[in-house]
Amino acid sequence: MDNDKLKFLQLLSKSFPSIAATSTEIINLKAILNLPKGTEHFLTDIHGEYKAFNHVLRNGSGVIRDKIDDIYGDTLEENLKKQLATVIYYPEAKINLIQKTTDDMKSWYKITILRLIEVCRIVSSKYTDSKVRKSLPKDFAYIIQELLHEKYSEDKKDYVKNIIDTIIELDMSKEFIVAMSELIQRLTIDVLHIVGDIYDRGPQPHLIVDKLMQHHNVDIQWGNHDMLWMTAASGQKCAIANVIRISSRYSNTDILEDVYGINMLPLARFALNTYANDPCTSFIPKEAKDSDISLMAKIHKAISIIQFKIEGQVIKNNPKFKMEDRLLLDKIDYSRGVVTINGKEYPMTDTNFPTIDPKDPYKLTEEEEEILEKLKQSFIHSEKLQRHTKFLFSKGGMFLKYNSNLLFHGCIPVDKNGEFTEVELFGKKLSGKKYLEELDRVCREGYFNKTDKQMKEICMDIMWYLWCGENSPLFGKDAMKTFERYFTTDKELHKENKNPYYSLYENQEFINKIFGEFGLDPKKSHIINGHMPVKEKRGESPIKANNKLIVIDGGFSKAYQKETGLAGYTLIYNSYGLKLVSHQPFEDVNTAIANCIDIHSSTRVIKRVLERKKVKDTDVGENIQKQIDDLYELLNAYKRGFIKVNN
């Protein structure tokens, strides 16, 4: 036997020290291969909308309600099915309401527990007993395990009844129902995929990250807004200015101050003093309270000017970024109030720039330098922000191949002919998959490298480029026209041209080319995208290239819902195939709980398989098969005497 193989099998024998132990594990793993594949749940572009995200996560995009319908059909009244679903989504809050309106809580508890057991039995049926056991809540693990495995035979009828009666007698019903409901939520979705853009616009991205950190199996494909926050957490000043600008634009600076502990006082004081008599009309925030508008507009303008200055410095220091068209502060005629863009003059909507020196427009004033440095220290020393950022790095990446699906947030940069764009990084010209892999590595070095300051700065600048650069796979446009939107009224100047990827992604040959680049089978693979909201109300379809590509950004962010006509898509991939779920806006949790109102969703089947997919058809199954092959070799080594059996 090969010496390296023998060493490997000797190590494996420590876990399986006998023929019996090895055989048992082979039997177990081969059985797992024939279970139905777990359900995958895909969400994207959540943009801080925690309430809608939380509800969709709790109801599994309608999967739980489907299970209830499957179990009870017409045998249970519609209002009782809705009530049961709401109990599973929000158990504690719903019980509190029911206690106020129901006289016989004992009967309600007994019926509800029995129904929850039935639902839990169905959602757990596709998993091994071992996996279900590991998912059980600690306090009720033994009881739930007993109830799930009993079939209410005549012999065990009193046994089951006594368990439930005792739970009620000991006043543990509420706690037990909460535990059962959370278990059902967990078992309904096996894997959660977040295809980018957790941050910005909405008010509670931090709660989304907190929720994801508690999830049992989640992965994240970075979006450009996530990358912006990760870059800011690394200490890159352009990213810090952008994060604050966007937060002030959407009146969400409390996220910075109250959640992440960023000291905004020096900036606020500076803004009030510098723009005391300036109405800052171009910087009026969205959805601000009347009392906050004036201050927020001043902060918004102050940080925007700082942003344009510091970005200009980074662009000049990185000529390979080819972003010279973003250098516009030196194109302003400050005496006449016009800016020259593409050789043409445009009147500016705002001409009050007290901190800009026309002779050196990209130079920060001493006070701006001091403020920006203080903000940087706040960002890099924010314990919660750093914890969230490390989580995004540990669970995230530029792309993911999973069960024949390719997940990435934005695009694969290509030219108008569909050829992968070559981009130079550290002296190497890269494109396609290798380009994304190197960007992934660079981002990690930009955050984690604490010793080589010069290399860290270079990597952090590339991370910022991923927010807004032309060849960024996370951004996917030729330029970010922030300056033009603030200071000019010409709509043509505001246009941000999409990468040719977005005009080619209806083409099946082009999509097949991407599959080939990433080593995927074109016959059974899909690309799953976010980033570009699908304007379904204008007739645009989220399904492209004959079902090969699915864009699942349908407008979770309220800012986009007028354009999309929806409040987001989610994608479900279970053992029966792929389903796209479109959601209507979710307004109020309390009303949903009180009236058993779910998000109104509609489902369309993208792909239904003729033969139900099993674990053996997945990436997990492929890894299990490799383990089985290794165990067969170990078994052979035992039988042939190469390794001593340890009895």
Side-chain angles (χ1 to χ4, degrees):
M1 181 176 286
D2 178 80
N3 198 44
D4 289 338
K5 173 62 74 173
L6 185 59
K7 286 181 180 179
F8 167 73
L9 293 177
Q10 284 171 335
L11 285 172
L12 188 60
S13 71
K14 295 183 184 299
S15 299
F16 305 99
S18 68
I19 289 175
T22 307
S23 299
T24 299
E25 185 64 6
I26 290 172
I27 293 166
N28 176 49
L29 292 177
K30 290 188 80 170
I32 290 172
L33 288 178
N34 288 284
L35 288 169
K37 79 173 284 294
T39 299
E40 299 172 54
H41 199 186
F42 302 77
L43 293 88
T44 189
D45 294 87
I46 307 160
H47 283 301
E49 298 293 347
Y50 172 74
K51 290 179 181 178
F53 164 78
N54 185 44
H55 187 79
V56 166
L57 215 57
R58 286 173 179 269
N59 77 355
S61 288
V63 172
I64 288 175
R65 179 54 202 266
D66 289 344
K67 297 294 184 187
I68 292 172
D69 285 335
D70 290 343
I71 295 166
Y72 293 105
D74 297 331
T75 64
L76 194 63
E77 293 176 17
E78 187 65 22
N79 65 315
L80 293 177
K81 287 193 285 188
K82 286 182 178 180
Q83 185 189 88
L84 180 59
T86 307
V87 168
I88 294 171
Y89 306 157
Y90 302 100
E92 193 165 1
K94 188 60 181 176
I95 291 170
N96 289 341
L97 283 175
I98 288 171
Q99 284 174 334
K100 296 175 182 179
T101 58
T102 302
D103 295 329
D104 188 1
M105 281 303 296
K106 286 186 178 180
S107 296
W108 186 88
Y109 280 138
K110 184 177 291 188
I111 293 169
T112 302
I113 289 171
L114 285 168
R115 287 171 180 162
L116 289 174
I117 292 167
E118 285 300 314
V119 176
C120 194
R121 185 176 288 138
I122 292 297
V123 299
S124 64
S125 62
K126 64 168 64 175
Y127 304 115
T128 63
D129 289 347
S130 173
K131 184 165 183 173
V132 174
R133 193 163 53 247
K134 290 173 183 175
S135 304
L136 296 176
K138 186 177 179 182
D139 291 342
F140 296 105
Y142 172 75
I143 296 171
I144 294 175
Q145 194 171 343
E146 288 293 291
L147 292 172
L148 288 180
H149 287 88
E150 293 308 329
K151 302 298 183 186
Y152 306 129
S153 64
E154 200 61 38
D155 292 338
K156 290 288 187 80
K157 193 174 181 181
D158 289 340
Y159 173 73
V160 172
K161 180 179 180 298
N162 190 261
I163 289 176
I164 296 172
D165 287 344
T166 305
I167 291 170
I168 296 169
E169 177 194 330
L170 295 175
D171 199 24
M172 295 295 291
S173 304
K174 184 176 182 179
E175 290 82 357
F176 184 76
I177 288 172
V178 170
M180 284 290 292
S181 298
E182 291 176 350
L183 177 62
I184 290 167
Q185 289 180 32
R186 174 168 179 162
L187 293 174
T188 298
I189 301 298
D190 191 36
V191 185
L192 176 63
H193 305 290
I194 305 295
V195 195
D197 277 0
I198 295 166
Y199 278 90
D200 289 330
R201 299 193 181 98
Q204 297 172 315
H206 56 290
L207 295 182
I208 295 169
V209 180
D210 284 340
K211 184 90 172 178
L212 293 175
M213 290 176 78
Q214 298 168 11
H215 200 274
H216 59 281
N217 193 0
V218 63
D219 55 70
I220 300 163
Q221 292 70 61
W222 300 324
N224 61 323
H225 287 269
D226 307 317
M227 183 54 61
L228 182 66
W229 281 75
M230 293 158 70
T231 310
S234 304
Q236 209 272 357
K237 290 179 178 178
C238 293
I240 289 169
N242 269 281
V243 162
I244 296 171
R245 177 184 62 79
I246 295 170
S247 296
S248 60
R249 186 180 181 218
Y250 287 89
S251 303
N252 287 331
T253 53
D254 55 332
I255 297 171
L256 296 169
E257 297 175 283
D258 301 338
V259 176
Y260 289 126
I262 306 299
N263 183 8
M264 294 285 288
L265 190 59
L267 176 62
R269 190 183 298 119
F270 167 77
L272 281 171
N273 291 336
T274 305
Y275 302 101
N277 300 314
D278 187 339
C280 301
T281 307
S282 298
F283 297 89
I284 300 297
K286 297 176 181 286
E287 300 179 12
K289 297 174 183 176
D290 290 342
S291 58
D292 296 338
I293 287 177
S294 179
L295 173 59
M296 199 61 67
K298 289 174 171 52
I299 292 173
H300 189 184
K301 181 172 181 178
I303 197 64
S304 296
I305 300 303
I306 291 172
Q307 174 192 314
F308 295 134
K309 287 184 177 184
I310 196 70
E311 284 182 342
Q313 295 177 22
V314 169
I315 290 167
K316 288 182 176 182
N317 290 336
N318 292 275
K320 288 182 180 179
F321 287 174
K322 298 179 181 179
M323 295 179 69
E324 291 77 13
D325 64 315
R326 296 295 85 213
L327 298 174
L328 294 170
L329 293 184
D330 59 348
K331 309 298 188 298
I332 298 173
D333 185 326
Y334 291 90
S335 61
R336 295 170 53 227
V338 296
V339 60
T340 301
I341 302 175
N342 299 327
K344 183 179 177 181
E345 286 189 348
Y346 295 89
M348 297 186 68
T349 57
D350 188 327
T351 57
N352 182 34
F353 303 115
T355 67
I356 295 178
D357 179 358
K359 295 179 182 178
D360 192 359
Y362 298 104
K363 183 179 180 181
L364 295 167
T365 66
E366 287 186 15
E367 192 172 1
E368 286 173 328
E369 286 270 17
E370 185 180 342
I371 288 166
L372 201 50
E373 183 59 33
K374 286 179 179 177
L375 287 168
K376 174 183 173 179
Q377 295 305 315
S378 281
F379 271 80
I380 63 177
H381 291 109
S382 166
E383 186 275 333
K384 190 176 181 83
L385 177 59
Q386 295 303 323
R387 181 156 34 91
H388 282 179
T389 302
K390 287 173 182 175
F391 171 76
L392 292 175
F393 273 109
S394 69
K395 296 293 183 180
M398 293 294 296
F399 70 94
L400 177 69
K401 292 196 301 179
Y402 196 94
N403 289 343
S404 296
N405 292 320
L406 177 60
L407 286 62
F408 52 84
H409 178 71
C411 71
I412 308 299
V414 294
D415 63 21
K416 63 182 180 180
N417 298 316
E419 299 298 323
F420 298 122
T421 304
E422 279 195 342
V423 182
E424 186 175 330
L425 281 175
F426 301 107
K428 295 183 291 184
K429 288 187 176 181
L430 302 170
S431 64
K433 181 172 178 279
K434 289 183 179 179
Y435 177 45
L436 267 66
E437 287 173 336
E438 178 64 1
L439 288 175
D440 191 295
R441 186 202 66 77
V442 167
C443 292
R444 296 179 197 281
E445 182 169 9
Y447 182 76
F448 289 105
N449 188 342
K450 309 294 183 185
T451 54
D452 189 337
K453 185 178 178 181
Q454 183 178 5
M455 181 56 70
K456 182 179 178 67
E457 291 286 340
I458 293 169
C459 290
M460 287 196 302
D461 286 353
I462 294 171
M463 291 169 74
W464 167 77
Y465 177 87
L466 289 177
W467 155 244
C468 60
E470 180 176 9
N471 289 319
S472 164
L474 306 185
F475 178 51
K477 298 178 184 178
D478 63 343
M480 190 172 284
K481 302 292 186 71
T482 307
F483 181 95
E484 289 90 332
R485 289 175 187 272
Y486 282 139
F487 295 115
T488 71
T489 58
D490 192 317
K491 298 295 183 182
E492 285 299 311
L493 288 181
H494 300 176
K495 286 184 180 178
E496 299 171 347
N497 299 310
K498 297 176 185 177
N499 186 272
Y501 169 90
Y502 294 102
S503 60
L504 294 167
Y505 68 178
E506 292 275 13
N507 185 302
Q508 293 185 58
E509 289 184 10
F510 173 68
I511 299 302
N512 288 342
K513 181 178 179 178
I514 294 175
F515 289 144
E517 173 71 7
F518 285 83
L520 289 165
D521 184 351
K523 293 179 182 177
K524 61 180 182 179
S525 299
H526 305 86
I527 291 174
I528 299 168
N529 265 174
H531 191 50
M532 293 293 183
V534 176
K535 299 175 178 64
E536 188 163 299
K537 75 173 188 179
R538 299 184 190 174
E540 185 181 354
S541 172
I543 303 166
K544 316 287 185 183
N546 194 26
N547 293 355
K548 288 180 178 287
L549 185 145
I550 308 146
V551 181
I552 60 169
D553 181 6
F556 252 105
S557 172
K558 289 182 179 178
Y560 286 136
Q561 288 173 11
K562 289 181 180 178
E563 294 181 41
T564 63
L566 296 169
Y569 293 114
T570 51
L571 187 68
I572 299 293
Y573 183 27
N574 59 23
S575 57
Y576 295 104
L578 280 164
K579 295 190 300 183
L580 186 68
V581 184
S582 54
H583 305 287
Q584 294 302 313
F586 180 69
E587 297 297 337
D588 180 62
V589 174
N590 293 328
T591 303
I593 295 168
N595 300 325
C596 301
I597 298 172
D598 210 338
I599 290 181
H600 178 69
S601 304
S602 57
T603 302
R604 69 190 88 176
V605 175
I606 296 174
K607 182 178 182 180
R608 181 170 289 280
V609 295
L610 297 176
E611 185 178 346
R612 194 176 184 188
K613 280 190 175 290
K614 296 179 180 179
V615 172
K616 65 183 179 183
D617 304 313
T618 68
D619 293 348
V620 170
E622 189 177 323
N623 291 329
I624 290 174
Q625 186 58 56
K626 289 176 182 176
Q627 294 174 46
I628 292 170
D629 295 342
D630 290 337
L631 288 165
Y632 269 118
E633 291 200 43
L634 176 61
L635 193 62
N636 186 49
Y638 279 140
K639 291 178 178 179
R640 295 184 62 195
F642 285 109
I643 297 176
K644 186 188 294 185
V645 175
N646 185 4
N647 291 321

